[in-house]
Amino acid sequence: MKLRSAALIAPALVAAVLVVARTDAPALADDGRYSAEIRRTEYGIPHISAKDYGGLGFGYGYAFAQDNLCVLASWVVTLRGERSRYFGPQAKSDDPVRPVANLVSDVYYKSVADSGVVPRLLARRSPQGPSEELRRLVDGYVAGYNRYLERTGVANLPDPTCRGKAWVGPITATDMWNTLLDLSRMVGIAGMKEYVVGKAEAESEGPERRPAAGSNAWALGRRATRDGHGMVLADPHFPWNGIRRFYQVQLTIPGVLDVSGGSLYGTPVVQIGHNATVAWTHTVSHAQRFTLYRLDLVDRASYRVDERTEPMGRQEVQVTLQDGTVVDHTLYTSRYGPVLAAGQSGKVAYALADANADNLRAADEWLAMGRARNLAQLRAAQSTYQGMPFVHTLATDAGGSAYFADTSMVPHVTDAQAERCGKPSPIPGLEEYVLDGSTSACLWGEDRDAVVPGIFGPGGRPRLTRGDYVANSNNTFWMTNPSAPLTGYPLAFGKARTELEPRPRVSLDMIAQRLSGSDRLGAPGFTLETLQATVQGKRNHTFELMRPDLPKLCRDSTLTASGGKRVDVREACRTLLKWNGRASLDGQGAILWREFFERLRRPTKPGEPVFSPWRVPFDPARPLATPRGLKSDDPVVRLALADAVAAFQAGDLSLTLTPGQAQRYQSVPIPGCTEGEGCFDRVRMRGVLGTDGRYPEVDTGSTFMMAVELTPAGPRTRTILTYSLSADPSSPHHTDQTVLFSRGQWVTERFTEAEIAADPKLRTSTVSG
């Protein structure tokens, strides 16, 4: 890296920036003005209506800025590669999924901007490029955000997070397109910035240690519901802070679009939601998103393909620091994608090929899904755009069919090709394919029905339509419905006949109990009310599966902890055996179980087999019944209980510590348990239980929960936005829904004109510009 003064930047570069700024100016509506009506119902939820897409975007951008301007303003600094300038190069970035040092973030995002990928995509016609409707929506959103900022002024912003800050200013359409592109790249190249830039630290969380993706989704068909209506449960698990939060909104253009649901910050479309006759949701798919290609180097700047030498592309990136100096960084590219700094030697290097590298189609797909009147039109929207970046889709319509598909972007790598072209990974634990880059025979294949080369087309993807239900909790496609296992798909989509994690297992068990009526919630079959009750049961499935063996573990009154200390476990055993297995706010035993269970899962030394605490191992022929039981006589299990109890004693913590006491978000107690424990509505805290009996603040879990029933009279919907509508701590809607979530309550959605008008707290405003 080289440093030099910012004053030495070439005048031509400044001129180029000015040209970009002018071309980024938002296009106005046909009549030269934007106009929208914003109606806010309980909890500040905005219902935005306009006569055209430009006006709709304007109203949305304005309303969002009122609630969350600081979050998007910070993200724009990130996308422009300017975090080092304002916050210092060593501070962590504001990426809520995988934060890296600001300098690493800036080098990566500057390289994206300098690559010209967004202008190239904008030059394409739909569906490869954005539709005219989406372009107007984006332009309007930018104008609405900027209009609010202009009216309010940076110095007068209500949110102290960014009030008066030099890094706050107008945004451009390019910022929005970069936001959409980065969302598509989130689980690919954007999640490996440090490996591209060359600043991966040994102590950093490697790819193999990334937090497990979370989300739950059910689509219930006419045979699973009491009244024969289609129903959807949406329960995405995304970060609770930053740009990946959901915003609740209704978007309406009379006679054209009327969709309500959750929209990720900085995106102008509803990603999870419903209209009058269709409802849908998503879960993160574990299919492949990218492959690595091993390059046979000729020298440091060239490599061989088919015995011919190809030069690497060279990209010089400049990042300005707080003191005005400029850091120069050199990146290299190949025909496959960026060349990783990681894994290089004098003979080989590795390039990253991301299926979402040039994907701006997702927003158009969501927009078209919002206009769909039935499942056939929703499927047609997905086949037209093929833009879902990394998620399954589960949906239903008023006809009561339940639909599942993995329409996400998956590199076209057949099993035979993966075996023929496979190479060792340069990064330990990275499970993505590594292919031979020295021959074009290992390039991704092509399907005739694929909208772009190199991905699997719609015809070859996992898909299932049922009259009863489809469900997914981030398991692979094969147990979407146990009565109809899906098999025979390329391994790029994930493996079949593999062990289900506890959360997918409890999900399927919850459905089975409701359909049989064995869950004590009344007659079999789902109603909107029993759907709500089912998903808030707070069941800890590992406890349920292991509890029969606890009495045997507890036969001895004392056990030996690490270091040889003898620990009295009688009170702990009484607490666990008395606990009902629910991670509710008052669940006495829930935290003790977690601390015990996590010690069963502690990492082993390299080369050692992973310890399994299950007494009955997994059997592919019985995927819903195995594994189960606890190896109560195993020394590892006995040590884990002793160590857990010793830790409570050392901190003088009560063994009956509850989730309500140990888990908080913005000072609000939060129920639930962790991914590994098998809680349907999981939570995550980045850190261990403190001596004060508290975990670090909850940062991931259920986000925008939606239960919707599509009746002949229209949708009946209950929602809860767990962290509330606004990230602004001064807003009345900063934690109001969080309090409801803590209490197990929901919001009754207002979708129709009559429902909206009937709200006694309705506030209406018209915005224009």
Side-chain angles (χ1 to χ4, degrees), residues 197-504:
V197 174
K199 291 293 182 180
E201 299 176 359
E203 68 271 20
S204 69
E205 184 181 66
E208 76 282 2
R209 297 177 57 200
R210 293 179 190 176
S215 289
N216 302 305
W218 297 349
L220 306 173
R222 54 190 173 275
R223 288 168 41 206
T225 60
R226 192 89 57 82
D227 296 325
H229 304 151
M231 301 175 71
V232 158
L233 168 73
D235 182 20
H237 298 174
F238 261 47
W240 282 25
N241 299 288
I243 198 66
R244 301 302 180 213
R245 284 172 41 133
F246 282 94
Y247 186 73
Q248 188 172 357
V249 68
Q250 182 175 3
L251 302 175
T252 304
I253 301 175
V256 176
L257 176 72
D258 193 7
V259 61
S260 181
S263 171
L264 287 169
Y265 280 21
T267 63
V269 294
V270 169
Q271 278 106 0
I272 290 176
H274 71 89
N275 56 35
T277 55
V278 175
W280 75 92
T281 185
H282 301 292
T283 62
V284 173
S285 158
H286 286 188
Q288 298 295 131
R289 303 297 156 214
F290 61 87
T291 65
L292 301 182
Y293 276 97
R294 193 178 78 169
L295 308 179
D296 288 348
L297 297 180
V298 176
D299 52 41
R300 293 187 63 184
S302 61
Y303 57 98
R304 295 184 187 89
V305 179
D306 297 334
E307 302 302 325
R308 297 180 181 179
T309 298
E310 289 192 5
M312 292 182 186
R314 182 183 175 100
Q315 191 178 28
E316 300 291 344
V317 176
Q318 300 173 341
V319 175
T320 303
L321 305 184
Q322 284 175 306
D323 62 1
T325 57
V326 174
V327 174
D328 292 332
H329 195 94
T330 302
L331 301 176
Y332 294 91
T333 61
S334 69
R335 62 156 63 187
Y336 307 106
V339 177
L340 302 185
Q344 288 195 24
S345 69
K347 295 182 178 180
V348 299
Y350 294 84
L352 191 152
D354 188 345
N356 284 296
D358 59 355
N359 178 17
L360 279 181
R361 301 183 304 280
D364 261 315
E365 187 168 330
W366 278 311
L367 190 58
M369 289 167 64
R371 294 191 296 254
R373 298 179 182 274
N374 50 50
L375 282 181
Q377 292 184 9
L378 182 143
R379 288 194 295 266
Q382 294 200 308
S383 294
T384 297
Y385 293 102
Q386 299 175 37
M388 286 296 102
F390 49 80
V391 291
H392 301 125
T393 299
L394 294 89
T396 190
D397 62 10
S401 293
Y403 167 75
F404 165 89
D406 188 344
T407 63
S408 61
M409 300 289 290
V410 180
H412 193 296
V413 180
T414 65
D415 295 351
Q417 184 183 18
E419 184 175 355
R420 183 180 73 250
C421 296
K423 296 293 181 181
S425 170
I427 304 172
L430 190 66
E431 298 177 354
E432 282 74 12
Y433 291 126
V434 181
L435 305 179
D436 186 353
S438 68
T439 170
S440 56
C442 294
L443 289 170
W444 296 349
E446 295 187 20
D447 279 346
R448 295 179 116 184
D449 59 346
V451 71
V452 293
I455 63 171
F456 285 101
R461 296 174 174 274
R463 195 183 302 262
L464 183 65
T465 302
R466 301 273 301 178
D468 51 1
Y469 72 89
V470 292
N472 188 267
S473 291
N474 305 117
N475 45 305
T476 60
F477 51 83
W478 85 289
M479 278 285 104
T480 295
N481 184 302
S483 298
L486 294 172
T487 59
Y489 294 95
L491 289 175
F493 285 99
K495 295 180 180 179
R497 301 184 179 89
T498 55
E499 179 180 335
L500 292 179
E501 294 292 327
R503 182 165 58 87

Side-chain angles (χ1 to χ4, degrees), residues 402-715:
Y403 167 75
F404 165 89
D406 188 344
T407 63
S408 61
M409 300 289 290
V410 180
H412 193 296
V413 180
T414 65
D415 295 351
Q417 184 183 18
E419 184 175 355
R420 183 180 73 250
C421 296
K423 296 293 181 181
S425 170
I427 304 172
L430 190 66
E431 298 177 354
E432 282 74 12
Y433 291 126
V434 181
L435 305 179
D436 186 353
S438 68
T439 170
S440 56
C442 294
L443 289 170
W444 296 349
E446 295 187 20
D447 279 346
R448 295 179 116 184
D449 59 346
V451 71
V452 293
I455 63 171
F456 285 101
R461 296 174 174 274
R463 195 183 302 262
L464 183 65
T465 302
R466 301 273 301 178
D468 51 1
Y469 72 89
V470 292
N472 188 267
S473 291
N474 305 117
N475 45 305
T476 60
F477 51 83
W478 85 289
M479 278 285 104
T480 295
N481 184 302
S483 298
L486 294 172
T487 59
Y489 294 95
L491 289 175
F493 285 99
K495 295 180 180 179
R497 301 184 179 89
T498 55
E499 179 180 335
L500 292 179
E501 294 292 327
R503 182 165 58 87
R505 283 180 67 184
V506 78
S507 171
L508 294 171
D509 190 62
M510 289 158 61
I511 295 174
Q513 288 194 23
R514 179 80 298 269
L515 294 183
S516 68
S518 61
D519 57 3
R520 301 181 182 180
L521 292 176
F526 282 94
T527 64
L528 186 61
E529 290 70 27
T530 59
L531 176 58
Q532 294 173 254
T534 299
V535 301
Q536 290 195 323
K538 312 298 179 190
R539 290 173 54 186
N540 184 310
H541 203 42
T542 56
F543 179 79
E544 294 173 345
L545 294 170
M546 292 180 171
R547 190 188 187 285
D549 293 311
L550 278 179
K552 188 175 181 180
L553 174 63
C554 291
R555 286 181 305 188
D556 295 334
S557 60
T558 60
L559 297 175
T560 303
S562 297
K565 179 183 178 181
R566 296 290 289 176
V567 178
D568 188 334
V569 298
R570 287 176 295 182
E571 183 183 353
C573 286
R574 286 193 293 269
T575 298
L576 290 176
L577 290 171
K578 185 179 179 181
W579 179 42
N580 65 1
R582 307 278 175 152
S584 53
L585 289 178
D586 60 354
Q588 296 186 359
I591 304 303
L592 175 60
W593 176 261
R594 178 183 308 163
E595 292 300 306
F596 164 58
F597 186 78
E598 286 299 319
R599 284 168 172 80
L600 295 176
R601 290 155 40 89
R602 63 179 54 181
T604 55
K605 296 179 181 179
E608 291 183 353
V610 176
F611 173 73
S612 172
W614 299 107
R615 176 172 50 81
V616 179
F618 172 66
D619 180 355
R622 306 182 65 196
L624 302 184
T626 59
R628 67 176 185 274
L630 177 66
K631 293 177 180 176
S632 53
D633 288 331
D634 193 291
V636 174
V637 175
R638 295 166 66 85
L639 179 66
L641 180 58
D643 282 350
V645 175
F648 274 76
Q649 292 175 347
D652 196 25
L653 302 178
S654 171
L655 292 167
T656 60
L657 187 67
T658 67
Q661 295 167 328
Q663 300 171 175
R664 298 293 174 103
Y665 177 78
Q666 300 291 326
S667 300
V668 179
I670 301 296
C673 66
T674 60
E675 173 77 18
E677 294 174 87
C679 257
F680 185 73
D681 47 349
R682 66 149 190 160
V683 294
R684 185 186 72 194
M685 296 72 62
R686 293 180 188 260
V688 299
L689 184 65
T691 56
D692 61 351
R694 295 275 186 89
Y695 292 102
E697 190 166 88
V698 172
D699 75 342
T700 303
S702 297
T703 53
F704 173 68
M705 298 182 70
M706 177 184 76
V708 56
E709 178 182 16
L710 300 173
T711 77

